[in-house]
Amino acid sequence: MLQPRICRFQPSRLGKSLLGARNYSQGFEQLIKPASFAPTASADGAVLTAEGPRKERFIPLRTYKPRTPGLRHLKRPVNDHLWKGRPFLKLTIARKGQHLGGRNNTGRVTVRHRGGGHKRRIRIVDYKRYLPGKHIVDRIEYDPNRSAHLALITRVETGEKSYIVAADGMRAGDEVESFRTGIPKDLIASMGGTIDPGMLAAKTAARGNCLPIHMVPLGSQVFNVGSKTQGGGVFCRSAGTYAIIVNKEEVEKAKGVETKSVIIRLQSGEIRKVSPDACCTIGVASNIQKHFESLGKAGRSRWLGRRPEVRGVAMNAADHPHGGGRGKSKGRVHPVSPWGTPAKGGYKTRYKRNKHTFLVQDRPRNQGKRRPR
């Protein structure tokens, strides 16, 4: 039987020496828990100070006594709040077919390093969130098809259930609401019959609520961000990701000031425009410690449906441009893919005639160097 223990993830050896010897019986009370979502903008629109980089904070991870070689390096995020049972079967479909091994309709491998893995069911996730009214969070569930967690919510008026991408800090019993179809009449009445931007932000910009992105204050963290007026979220849906509202392009018209587009900054550093009526969810996508986990052994990677990756320099010359030769050598060629496409050095793949009209500033390029965590 696995005997877990809770440890702190030290970003440096200095932190480990300051903490002293590791205690094998640490509890949750002694941990520095990750900070839950705190809004980066106040109700009046003033931008608050941002937190420091995530790598400088202690991340609680669950480790195990090394009874076997696979347990020695195993590190898992502490997610004791997750649902222990099966998913809501009415919102799932079986994942079956010939496409699971990276093959196309003719049976040829089009995506390498895929195949095998545990049996799964596809969860039907509501990325659009058009249903208005209050919803109650029933539970937070693990989803094998994504890195973030899902929340099963129930609509108070009709009892209809649906899956949404859970926000960090969301727990069973929380209330979430979608304002994508408009502002409720009772909310307008509570503001005195007129829409006050500061009061509206204070009442609607809560963790897990879905809003048109033009209603979100500047500097706020949002995830599950859409790009068009219709449709669901397409950006920042994986674990721990979020976008920041940078600016709003406003134009003056006869009826008043109207928002033309909203400028956001994505996790990659790219700054782009989205439609003002595109959807977004307040907060940060759940399971923020996913980035620091360690599988511990190759078998866990196979359980996830990932097949081994072989280095090009370990292949023969007939199998890869880096193969062949004596010793570990690429043969004086620049790093390329198995089909000869340059793999590093900022090789451009976008045609000049296919311009990115919504791009404000491109993401920083590292020229093949590894980006720090």
Side-chain angles (χ1 to χ4, degrees):
M1 180 177 179
L2 301 183
Q3 295 185 2
R5 64 189 180 193
I6 307 300
C7 75
R8 297 173 179 174
F9 178 80
Q10 291 88 359
S12 63
R13 293 184 178 180
L14 177 61
K16 183 182 294 186
S17 61
L18 293 176
L19 289 174
R22 188 186 337 209
N23 188 2
Y24 286 84
S25 60
Q26 280 184 308
F28 287 96
E29 304 81 40
Q30 301 171 349
L31 290 176
I32 302 177
K33 296 184 178 181
S36 58
F37 166 72
T40 55
S42 58
D44 57 356
V47 179
L48 303 180
T49 57
E51 297 181 358
R54 189 168 54 185
K55 67 178 182 180
E56 296 181 0
R57 291 180 288 170
F58 291 109
I59 306 297
L61 296 174
R62 175 167 283 136
T63 61
Y64 299 85
K65 290 185 178 181
R67 300 182 184 275
T68 61
L71 293 179
R72 180 176 300 276
H73 302 288
L74 177 62
K75 293 184 178 65
R76 289 172 170 172
V78 180
N79 291 318
D80 292 336
H81 62 282
L82 293 181
W83 173 251
K84 303 298 190 298
R86 299 192 68 186
F88 189 70
L89 293 180
K90 293 183 179 180
L91 292 176
T92 61
I93 56 177
R95 184 172 182 261
K96 296 181 179 179
Q98 300 297 325
H99 62 283
L100 306 182
R103 272 77 172 172
N104 60 2
N105 60 343
T106 62
R108 297 185 178 181
V109 176
T110 55
V111 182
R112 300 189 302 162
H113 314 136
R114 290 191 183 182
H118 197 280
K119 185 170 61 175
R120 302 180 183 180
R121 290 189 70 87
I122 303 296
R123 277 73 166 172
I124 302 175
V125 183
D126 182 15
Y127 297 112
K128 301 179 180 180
R129 299 189 64 180
Y130 279 115
L131 293 177
K134 290 187 177 180
H135 293 70
I136 304 298
V137 178
D138 294 337
R139 62 202 187 201
I140 309 296
E141 295 186 9
Y142 165 80
D143 187 4
N145 304 295
R146 71 192 70 249
S147 58
H149 296 150
L150 296 182
L152 181 66
I153 60 176
T154 303
R155 192 181 181 189
V156 177
E157 297 179 359
T158 61
E160 183 180 356
K161 294 183 180 295
S162 60
Y163 275 122
I164 62 171
V165 180
D168 179 41
M170 184 182 292
R171 295 293 183 269
D174 293 351
E175 291 186 0
V176 295
E177 192 171 354
S178 176
F179 301 94
R180 195 170 182 188
T181 56
I183 304 174
K185 295 181 180 179
D186 56 348
L187 182 58
I188 298 178
S190 64
M191 293 186 293
T194 58
I195 298 178
D196 183 10
M199 186 70 68
L200 183 64
K203 291 181 177 293
T204 59
R207 180 199 294 124
N209 285 357
C210 182
L211 304 172
I213 198 167
H214 69 87
M215 292 176 55
V216 182
L218 293 178
S220 299
Q221 295 174 337
V222 293
F223 70 100
N224 191 31
V225 183
S227 61
K228 302 178 182 179
T229 302
Q230 303 292 331
V234 293
F235 301 121
C236 304
R237 302 194 311 196
S238 60
T241 57
Y242 60 90
I244 297 179
I245 311 297
V246 176
N247 196 5
K248 299 179 182 180
E249 293 184 346
E250 297 179 345
V251 293
E252 294 184 0
K253 291 191 176 182
K255 297 181 181 180
V257 179
E258 182 179 349
T259 303
K260 181 180 179 181
S261 62
V262 178
I263 300 177
I264 61 174
R265 183 169 71 245
L266 302 177
Q267 290 282 166
S268 62
E270 176 183 316
I271 300 177
R272 60 162 295 151
K273 299 178 183 179
V274 296
S275 172
D277 295 323
C279 67
C280 68
T281 306
I282 305 296
V284 181
S286 55
N287 197 16
I288 62 174
Q289 301 94 347
K290 172 75 175 179
H291 188 68
F292 299 99
E293 74 172 3
S294 176
L295 296 180
K297 62 180 182 179
R300 296 185 187 276
S301 184
R302 299 302 299 264
W303 299 343
L304 298 176
R306 304 171 188 166
R307 299 188 67 242
E309 298 183 14
V310 181
R311 294 170 296 122
V313 293
M315 298 182 186
N316 295 325
D319 301 323
H320 199 281
H322 297 172
R326 298 190 178 185
K328 299 179 181 179
S329 172
K330 295 191 294 292
R332 294 183 180 180
V333 297
H334 292 290
V336 293
S337 70
W339 305 277
T341 304
K344 295 182 180 180
Y347 178 70
K348 303 293 189 299
T349 58
R350 189 183 299 273
Y351 292 105
K352 292 184 179 180
R353 63 177 180 271
N354 186 20
K355 294 184 179 180
H356 195 340
T357 57
F358 299 101
L359 182 66
V360 177
Q361 181 178 338
D362 197 4
R363 64 181 175 89
R365 307 284 178 171
N366 287 341
Q367 301 297 321
K369 298 180 181 178
R370 181 168 295 180
R371 184 174 300 162
R373 291 189 177 184

